[in-house]
Amino acid sequence: WVLGVAGTHGKTTTASMLAWGLEYAGLGAGFLIGGVPQNFSVSARLPQDGSPFFVIEADEYDTAFFDKRSKFVHYRPRTAVLNNLEYDHADIFPNLAAIQTQFHHLVRTIPGQGLIVCNGREESLQTVLAQGCWTPVENFGGAEGWQAGEPDGNGAFDVLHHGQTVGRIGWQLLGEHNRLNALAVIAAARHAGVSIQVACEALSQFQNVKRRMEVKGCVRGITVYDDFAHPPPAIATTVAGLRQKVGGARIIAVLE
């Protein structure tokens, strides 16, 4: 039972959240993640104690020099998260439509008894699904489906499903993008048999991934963060999350 997390950005964090949610629920999923989740301290492992579950980042980059299909068409996920879709990888894709075609190929590999968890705000993903979808879809972040309430001063927020509050997450992660990641994880984990309440408890204990707004230290009142965000929209979202945390304090952003 493969759970694949696809999207232009956020794959590593979301896949880490999902692997931890299954671990917290006692399901012992294996995983292959392009970063180091601090709840595990390793980036990959095999399923534990005969678990059928495996969480993987579903990357749209090509497979090999001799196979120009996106990697994720080989993964055969039963549960697929479509987090976002923007133009990226200009070295191999001429435009956004070319990437959407690959996402369409991914959608066609998902079985009818599977589940697609889709960001309801992303028109580019809705275009992909309109090309043909034979799998149930649950949306998050939009007007229908899964939604996140406004965070309080400590970062805690309510989880809503079809307008009804069904759980609450209390954590230190920054930004709306991470709240959307959490919604996707709750929906995907529920498909694997994890209750909403247990998923919220797991996310409340999620320790993030190395180099995702990782605090490196504090000197003379200056807190230094290290973050791996590289596409411009991801950088903008990360800085917006930090701004929400620090209010009017000065932010110096250094881009490598």
Side-chain angles (χ1 to χ4, degrees):
W1 185 319
V2 174
L3 300 98
V5 179
T8 307
H9 44 82
K11 290 187 293 293
T12 296
T13 301
T14 306
S16 298
M17 289 180 184
L18 183 53
W20 170 242
L22 299 183
E23 174 74 7
Y24 184 88
L27 299 182
F31 55 83
L32 179 59
I33 294 169
V36 182
Q38 298 190 71
N39 291 87
F40 294 102
S41 76
V42 295
S43 60
R45 78 174 189 190
L46 294 172
Q48 307 294 295
D49 301 321
S51 172
F53 299 107
F54 195 89
V55 177
I56 189 167
E57 289 188 32
D59 185 16
E60 70 272 20
Y61 205 78
D62 61 12
T63 299
F65 177 76
F66 52 84
D67 185 352
K68 295 307 177 185
R69 292 174 295 174
S70 291
K71 292 185 182 74
F72 54 35
V73 302
H74 301 288
Y75 297 165
R76 295 292 192 270
R78 187 184 303 187
T79 308
V81 174
L82 306 183
N83 227 359
N84 41 65
L85 179 52
E86 299 162 1
Y87 184 52
D88 196 11
H89 307 306
D91 55 329
I92 62 171
F93 292 118
N95 48 44
L96 177 62
I99 308 177
Q100 288 175 310
T101 296
Q102 294 299 320
F103 270 73
H104 170 61
H105 293 163
L106 169 64
V107 167
R108 292 188 62 170
T109 69
I110 304 167
Q113 73 273 23
L115 178 68
I116 295 172
V117 180
C118 184
N119 188 336
R121 299 183 181 183
E122 295 275 325
E123 290 186 11
S124 54
L125 289 175
Q126 301 306 314
T127 299
V128 169
L129 297 181
Q131 292 176 9
C133 179
W134 302 269
T135 306
V137 177
E138 291 188 12
N139 288 312
F140 66 92
E144 299 178 353
W146 299 88
Q147 299 169 313
E150 286 298 315
D152 63 18
N154 297 317
F157 63 95
D158 289 332
V159 174
L160 293 83
H161 190 223
H162 298 304
Q164 301 296 316
T165 300
V166 292
R168 187 169 179 82
I169 297 172
W171 63 7
Q172 299 301 310
L173 272 66
L174 304 179
E176 184 181 30
H177 60 296
N178 276 321
R179 293 192 290 277
L180 293 177
N181 292 341
L183 296 178
V185 166
I186 292 169
R190 189 174 75 146
H191 188 228
V194 179
S195 71
I196 297 172
Q197 185 58 44
V198 169
C200 289
E201 291 175 6
L203 290 169
S204 296
Q205 298 185 31
F206 180 66
Q207 297 177 26
N208 214 340
V209 184
K210 286 186 177 297
R211 300 203 67 205
R212 270 60 178 184
M213 288 306 289
E214 181 180 3
V215 177
K216 305 301 291 185
C218 187
V219 180
R220 297 179 184 176
I222 300 172
T223 302
V224 179
Y225 296 87
D226 181 27
D227 192 82
F228 187 71
H230 52 94
I235 295 170
T237 302
T238 299
V239 173
L242 182 60
R243 172 60 67 202
Q244 190 174 39
K245 176 182 176 66
V246 303
R250 187 183 184 195
I251 298 174
I252 301 174
V254 181
L255 175 63
E256 177 186 12

